[in-house]
Amino acid sequence: MALLDDRRRARGAGAAPARTPGPARSARGRRRRWLPTGLVLLVLTVLILIPAAMVLLAAFSVDVPRPGNITWDLTAANFGIFADPQTLRAFLNSMVVGVVATALACLIGAALAFLAARTDIPAAPFVFLVGLMPMFLPSYVGALAWSMLAGPNAGLLNIAQSDLGTSLPLDMYSVPGMIFVFALYYSPYTFLMVHGAMSLMSPDLEEAARVHGASSRRMLGLVSFPLATPALIGSAMLTFVLIFENFPVAQVLGTPGGVDTLPTLIFRLLNTSPSRGNESAAIAVVLVGVVLLATWLQQRMLAKRSFTTVTGKGVRQKKVALGRARIPLFLGVLVFFFLSIVLPVLALVVVSGQSSPYMSSLSELAEPGGLDFSSFADVLGSSSFREATWHSLVVGVCAAGAGVVLAFLCSYVVYRTKASGRSLVEGVSMVPLALPAVVLGMGLLWTWLVMPVPLYGTLAVLVVAFLAVQAPQGFRGVSSSILATDRDLEDSAVMLGASRGRAVTSVTVPLMKVGLLSTFLLLLMLSMRELTVPLFLYTSDTEILSIAIYDAFENGGALQEAAAMSVIYTAFMFVLSYIPRRLAR
Amino acid sequence: MDVKITDLSLTYGDFTAVEHLSLHIEDGESLVLLGQSGCGKTSTMRCVAGLEDPSGGSISIGGTTVFDAAAGTNVAPNRRNVGLVFQSYAVWPHMTVLENVSFPLRMKRRPKKEIRTRAQETLELVGLGHLADKGASKLSGGQMQRVALARSLAMEPNVMLLDEPLSNLDARLRDDLRVELRRLQLELGLTSIYVTHDQSEALALADRIAIMQHGRISQLATPVETYRNPASASIAEFLGVANIFRTCAPRAGEHRLRLADHALEIAVGTAVPAGDDLSVCVRPEHVRLATQPGAGAPNSWPGTVEVSVFQGSYARCTVALDAGPSLEVHTQDATFVPRQHDRVHVEIDPAHVQVLPQEVGPVVGDGVRDDAAPAEPGVDDDHGRRVVAHAATMSGEG
């Protein structure tokens, strides 16, 4: 100690360093800080922003973008389409379907979530599965199945009614029909979010209510449910947006009955001859406007509340006793399960085996030769089905793989660097959320027709399209995983002599393995079920599975084949959705 | 190797984390950066590591410049050969203990055999030789801490940085590891920068303590010096001096001070320095309790015990003086444990009363204070630090 003191004394005390004036930020430094963001922004711009800009341009110009000919003659005349009564009717239909179906879906989802998470309902794990399962069935397969069940003429349920002598006319090709199907298949979003909020809620908060004198019922009303409302509001807005912009269900159920929604109208205008692309772009802009408004409303409502009450500890709370309502409620759950999964899958199986398309009584099915499942062999044996499956797999795997890489790069830039413009990267990654699939599909079509790269008409253009569509899901999946990985772990590898790249590959990526893999599987599943965007971009050489089913169904004659493919497809989707859940454990 | 930090500044947007900080750490010295959270101590350390991009100044390690804002030098953290033990340990859960410790040697492309023996030796050094093949995620907090330490030691760092390495451990383990850390640091002659907000940790581990406030160093001295002569009342408060009272502006040269908020005068050991914003500071252990008034004692006041807590080797109590203020008292005599509502007499030796300014400006260079303090009868001590009131050093402890 004395030695140290001596040294210090010897050095003297007057060596105050000269001060340099404030930091001189060099142009080189600025370039260095923009480099990583600049690169990913460039990719995101090509993928997402240019297609969006194409739609915007088309909405305000006299002609749609064509190769070598992008017109800049601007006009607002395209919006005159809103004076057309059919547009107004479509808008009204969209709104009614969106609002009513959202309300129903939220009611179903929240009720199931409460029953599964917080009550002594019999077979609670089964109730959880029932709440979740409709998610695994692509909503347009559900719509297909329900059109087979309750189509006004040859619907199986209507045939069964004539057998039974009841006459409750069931017509799926109508606004109530669409509302019914949307409510069934969009309830899992609310279910998942509310279930999460209810089961992760700290029991201390509820116990505090009990200690301070609340009865079990009042505790639920004053503490538990209010704490779950942010999740409910969030999921309601999400559900509304998803239903409002949904194209396939409306196309399957609405179009045959002459009921238009905005997405189907956009699609129809684009495909009439001559094509009315500019007007459909104008409708698309309004569609995006509504979506943005809903998202903004959601943000505003949630900004006032705090999610911090949810601890994430996953502690078991006390279950609410249902008493005499226990069995009736469970029966209600069974009815939902029956309507959302059992009946539709049964209908697909029956239709795939139905040898005669014309049937007046269900008893015909029991007759010899009435059910013939050779259609499965036909489908599996057909080269077009195998090709479509192969295309789906190739496109899905490439899009999911590239999507994870892109999402990792974006998340890394946003959360692990101090590069300038990071929030811009996050913002642009999220843009596709506000772009309905019909709009994005339209924009991607024009973009890749115009681009001087021969991508249109290849599988690659589908990969590129899926990359754009799924950028938000990829970014969310990977960034939540990167946030859960302590950055000290990577920094310590650097301190111990590894280069930054080496630290990422030997520490960060291995630690994020589960997160990256489950994001990959999520993207793969989304690619497999996406119908709308490829509908704009596929050619007869690049048909994928979802398109093949849609085609077979729309062509009417191939109903049996469509049903058989749907069954195989659904089985495949169940397997694909099951793997990530296993992984998460 | 020695570390020389010159005029270092670090800003995040509008927030200045480190402001014109200069510091020289000798080869083999253990320097502790002590301060409250948000004072810039961790930021300073991360600048040395190369994990932050400072906005100005320069840093050199062993004579090699690793950062210089003016010259545009910024050596990548992996090329600085600086060890860093993180508060979170950052032990990689997907590797075994041995793989963790071998990592820096693998990065230096040492031969396989050497890596294994060196890593094993380092593990023995921290007492974890028997756990080499265990998965790192299965370790206890204390063991992880040792792995993190061994991993940094294995790279034979030029400087060892430690970021509150003991704060996540329970009190008992913390005490043991503190002693062990100091033993290792002295044995291996490590140059180290240790960041903590725990004053007893700082006192135990430091050759010198740099107290940081608002991104600047406000006191730089040995532990003994820091403990005895805090440079300001706010530093004293941070160091556990519980009894701090503002005073009315005194006349220079007086030996008595009047408290600003209470009708009480207190005698001090030395002549009072000039200045407006002075406080009297008394450590709780320097207050004596007696049952009788001390005959002729300069600072003796009657009061009532408000609360009293037995702590084993001493009792801690709060005494409300009849004249107003409450005093925090640590009795030295464990056999005398006052009870609540007891009437007592409180005595303070004037030599134990320190008169300090509320705040002080930053020190620059090696202990030179930057602010132009008014002329005053204070004495400059051997480190160039202006001693404002000399009371404690003259009380026979020094």
Side-chain angles (χ1 to χ4, degrees):
Chain A
M1 197 70 77
L3 192 99
L4 284 168
D5 278 352
D6 282 339
R7 268 206 311 245
R8 220 159 290 130
R9 204 168 302 144
R11 242 191 354 264
R19 289 201 170 162
T20 45
R25 295 278 193 202
S26 63
R28 202 182 55 180
R30 206 175 310 129
R31 221 172 306 141
R32 196 165 52 91
R33 278 177 302 122
W34 270 103
L35 186 69
T37 27
L39 286 176
V40 290
L41 277 176
L42 187 72
V43 175
L44 292 175
T45 302
V46 172
L47 286 176
I48 298 164
L49 293 184
I50 291 184
M54 286 289 183
V55 176
L56 197 63
L57 177 65
F60 287 100
S61 77
V62 294
D63 201 1
V64 297
R66 291 181 208 285
N69 175 27
I70 295 181
T71 168
W72 293 97
D73 295 341
L74 298 187
T75 167
N78 297 324
F79 288 87
I81 186 83
F82 278 92
D84 189 334
Q86 71 164 351
T87 316
L88 290 177
R89 221 176 307 121
F91 185 81
L92 204 66
N93 285 340
S94 278
M95 278 317 235
V96 169
V97 169
V99 171
V100 180
T102 298
L104 282 175
C106 287
L107 193 70
I108 296 170
L112 285 172
F114 172 68
L115 289 175
R118 302 304 314 276
T119 66
D120 62 347
I121 195 152
F126 170 72
V127 176
F128 180 81
L129 266 186
V130 169
L132 200 60
M133 263 170 134
M135 201 173 216
F136 302 152
L137 201 70
S139 61
Y140 80 93
V141 172
L144 253 162
W146 269 100
S147 82
M148 293 167 183
L149 275 168
N153 303 318
L156 294 173
L157 290 180
N158 286 329
I159 297 173
Q161 284 205 59
S162 69
D163 287 351
L164 295 170
T166 56
S167 59
L168 188 73
L170 294 175
D171 182 7
M172 275 297 133
Y173 300 152
S174 62
V175 168
M178 279 195 269
I179 289 175
F180 173 75
V181 169
F182 276 127
L184 285 186
Y185 295 101
Y186 282 89
S187 61
Y189 297 92
T190 306
F191 174 79
L192 271 180
M193 285 163 103
V194 174
H195 189 277
M198 285 201 158
S199 53
L200 292 179
M201 202 179 287
S202 164
D204 295 352
L205 296 170
E206 294 192 333
E207 278 163 12
R210 294 306 299 273
V211 168
H212 291 297
S215 68
S216 166
R217 194 177 289 261
R218 282 178 64 86
M219 173 200 82
L220 284 173
L222 292 175
V223 176
S224 315
F225 290 142
L227 283 177
T229 37
L232 189 63
I233 294 173
S235 58
M237 287 299 171
L238 174 71
T239 308
F240 174 77
V241 167
L242 287 174
I243 293 176
F244 189 73
E245 69 171 44
N246 180 292
F247 167 76
V249 173
Q251 177 73 4
V252 167
L253 296 178
T255 311
V259 184
D260 262 331
T261 62
L262 286 185
T264 59
L265 184 64
I266 291 175
F267 187 72
R268 200 154 57 79
L269 287 179
L270 199 63
N271 284 318
T272 49
S273 169
S275 171
R276 296 165 69 183
N278 295 104
E279 283 159 316
S280 61
I283 301 176
V285 168
V286 173
L287 194 63
V288 173
V290 174
V291 170
L292 284 178
L293 188 71
T295 317
W296 177 76
L297 272 176
Q298 174 196 0
Q299 305 271 320
R300 251 187 70 113
M301 276 194 253
L302 294 186
K304 289 186 204 137
R305 292 164 187 273
S306 157
F307 278 94
T308 49
T309 45
V310 175
T311 61
K313 273 192 276 179
V315 203
R316 284 245 160 264
Q317 304 104 328
K318 286 204 187 70
K319 300 284 183 193
V320 177
L322 292 174
R324 262 184 304 180
R326 197 165 168 250
I327 298 302
L329 283 171
F330 184 67
L331 288 178
V333 172
L334 282 183
V335 167
F336 175 76
F337 180 57
F338 197 67
L339 291 178
S340 63
I341 302 290
V342 178
L343 260 186
V345 171
L346 214 60
L348 289 175
V349 171
V350 167
V351 170
S352 67
Q354 189 183 336
S355 43
S356 152
Y358 306 105
M359 191 165 66
S360 56
S361 164
L362 287 187
S363 59
E364 286 174 30
L365 292 174
E367 286 165 13
L371 269 180
D372 174 13
F373 290 104
S374 60
S375 60
F376 280 95
D378 293 345
V379 163
L380 287 172
S382 81
S383 63
S384 65
F385 174 77
R386 274 194 248 154
E387 205 166 275
T389 311
W390 174 241
H391 287 165
S392 273
L393 273 175
V394 170
V395 171
V397 168
C398 290
V404 168
V405 172
L406 178 68
F408 183 82
L409 292 177
C410 292
S411 312
Y412 193 90
V413 167
V414 172
Y415 292 110
R416 286 285 168 90
T417 68
K418 296 201 182 72
S420 310
R422 282 171 294 147
S423 53
L424 209 58
V425 172
E426 182 171 9
V428 177
S429 292
M430 289 298 160
V431 162
L433 281 186
L435 297 179
V438 210
V439 180
L440 202 52
M442 193 157 66
L444 284 163
L445 172 70
W446 287 331
T447 304
W448 294 105
L449 280 174
V450 167
M451 283 268 185
V453 226
L455 227 51
Y456 182 76
T458 65
L459 287 178
V461 79
L462 293 178
V463 174
V464 169
F466 286 153
L467 268 178
V469 175
Q470 293 155 9
Q473 288 82 3
F475 183 82
R476 274 190 188 156
V478 175
S479 62
S480 71
S481 170
I482 217 169
L483 285 173
T485 313
D486 191 350
R487 69 182 302 156
D488 286 355
L489 292 162
E490 184 183 307
D491 281 348
S492 69
V494 173
M495 293 314 301
L496 294 166
S499 66
R500 190 53 76 172
R502 181 74 192 267
V504 169
T505 51
S506 65
V507 174
T508 310
V509 169
L511 286 173
M512 287 171 63
K513 204 170 52 191
V514 173
L516 293 177
L517 199 59
S518 51
T519 307
F520 173 83
L521 287 168
L522 171 73
L523 296 188
L524 181 60
M525 189 175 81
L526 290 174
S527 301
M528 299 293 287
R529 61 190 287 172
E530 179 65 48
L531 170 70
T532 317
V533 170
L535 204 55
F536 286 88
L537 292 167
Y538 86 100
T539 57
S540 54
D541 291 336
T542 59
E543 209 170 55
I544 59 173
L545 203 48
S546 52
I547 299 283
I549 296 173
Y550 175 83
D551 250 7
F553 180 75
E554 287 288 286
N555 292 344
L559 202 60
Q560 205 180 353
E561 200 188 324
M565 279 199 275
S566 299
V567 172
I568 300 168
Y569 181 58
T570 305
F572 192 70
M573 296 308 286
F574 268 96
V575 174
L576 212 54
S577 333
Y578 183 66
I579 303 170
R581 309 225 145 245
R582 290 295 305 191
L583 270 180
R585 260 168 228 165
Chain B
M1 292 187 204
D2 72 317
V3 178
K4 195 164 177 125
I5 302 171
T6 311
D7 203 26
L8 184 78
S9 292
L10 174 69
T11 52
Y12 303 107
D14 293 339
F15 177 70
T16 304
V18 181
E19 209 178 346
H20 298 297
L21 183 141
S22 296
L23 188 61
H24 189 173
I25 300 124
E26 296 286 329
D27 187 23
E29 186 186 12
S30 164
L31 182 107
V32 172
L33 290 174
L34 176 66
Q36 277 153 337
S37 61
C39 72
K41 56 192 193 302
T42 298
S43 301
T44 306
M45 192 203 66
R46 286 173 64 88
C47 288
V48 176
L51 295 171
E52 303 287 342
D53 284 340
S55 41
S58 67
I59 302 168
S60 69
I61 298 173
T64 314
T65 304
V66 293
F67 178 82
D68 190 333
T73 313
N74 193 0
V75 176
N78 52 320
R79 307 202 180 281
R80 293 190 183 189
N81 200 35
V82 169
L84 171 52
V85 176
F86 290 83
Q87 184 173 12
S88 61
Y89 317 137
V91 169
W92 301 308
H94 62 304
M95 300 184 188
T96 65
V97 169
L98 193 71
E99 282 167 351
N100 263 285
V101 179
S102 314
F103 189 88
L105 301 167
R106 269 172 49 215
M107 290 301 123
K108 289 187 172 172
R109 301 182 198 286
R110 293 287 158 77
K112 271 222 168 88
K113 206 164 162 199
E114 188 197 326
I115 292 180
R116 198 176 163 90
T117 43
R118 281 267 304 281
Q120 188 66 39
E121 276 169 24
T122 318
L123 277 175
E124 304 288 351
L125 191 68
V126 299
L128 284 185
H130 58 293
L131 292 178
D133 295 316
K134 202 166 178 180
S137 57
K138 299 202 167 62
L139 301 178
S140 70
Q143 288 169 335
M144 283 212 202
Q145 217 290 315
R146 285 162 200 261
V147 173
L149 188 65
R151 199 171 59 176
S152 283
L153 287 175
M155 74 188 283
E156 297 185 328
N158 296 341
V159 192
M160 187 73 142
L161 309 176
L162 300 110
D163 184 8
E164 310 215 9
L166 304 180
S167 63
N168 287 340
L169 302 174
D170 63 62
R172 183 74 171 275
L173 197 57
R174 201 155 55 209
D175 284 354
D176 293 348
L177 273 170
R178 190 184 291 169
V179 177
E180 204 176 315
L181 268 179
R182 183 58 168 165
R183 177 181 64 79
L184 275 171
Q185 189 263 326
L186 291 172
E187 226 172 80
L188 303 173
L190 282 173
T191 310
S192 64
I193 302 178
Y194 190 105
V195 163
T196 184
H197 64 265
D198 180 332
Q199 58 140 334
S200 56
E201 215 163 282
L203 294 174
L205 288 169
D207 290 325
R208 278 191 300 163
I209 295 174
I211 292 179
M212 285 193 72
Q213 291 176 315
H214 316 298
R216 294 148 169 258
I217 295 177
S218 47
Q219 185 168 14
L220 179 63
T222 62
V224 175
E225 176 66 19
T226 308
Y227 185 80
R228 287 184 185 159
N229 292 325
S232 71
S234 68
I235 294 176
E237 190 179 5
F238 180 64
L239 293 174
V241 179
N243 302 309
I244 297 178
F245 302 102
R246 311 203 97 146
T247 64
C248 302
R251 270 166 298 173
E254 255 196 326
H255 282 71
R256 294 185 75 77
L257 277 168
R258 175 176 291 279
L259 301 192
D261 305 320
H262 304 284
L264 201 73
E265 278 202 349
I266 186 163
V268 297
T270 47
V272 173
D276 302 334
D277 202 12
L278 297 179
S279 295
V280 289
C281 307
V282 183
R283 288 194 163 270
E285 60 268 34
H286 288 152
V287 184
R288 272 202 316 279
L289 288 187
T291 44
Q292 300 293 321
N299 295 322
S300 173
W301 303 287
T304 311
V305 175
E306 280 187 326
V307 61
S308 168
V309 182
F310 181 56
Q311 295 274 2
S313 58
Y314 65 95
R316 174 182 174 170
C317 46
T318 309
V319 178
L321 299 186
D322 295 349
S326 285
L327 282 182
E328 197 68 21
V329 184
H330 291 181
T331 65
Q332 296 304 310
D333 183 3
T335 54
F336 172 51
V337 181
R339 292 155 173 261
Q340 203 183 8
H341 307 312
D342 277 2
R343 291 289 295 167
V344 288
H345 287 269
V346 166
E347 287 174 23
I348 303 171
D349 184 340
H352 282 135
V353 180
Q354 288 181 304
V355 183
L356 301 174
Q358 190 54 36
E359 301 285 349
V360 285
V363 260
V364 292
D366 286 298
V368 186
R369 194 161 294 294
D370 192 31
D371 54 347
E376 55 181 50
V379 191
D380 278 4
D381 76 353
D382 52 356
H383 298 153
R385 199 183 66 76
R386 180 166 290 119
V387 176
V388 183
H390 234 136
T393 34
M394 292 172 70
S395 68
E397 288 173 324

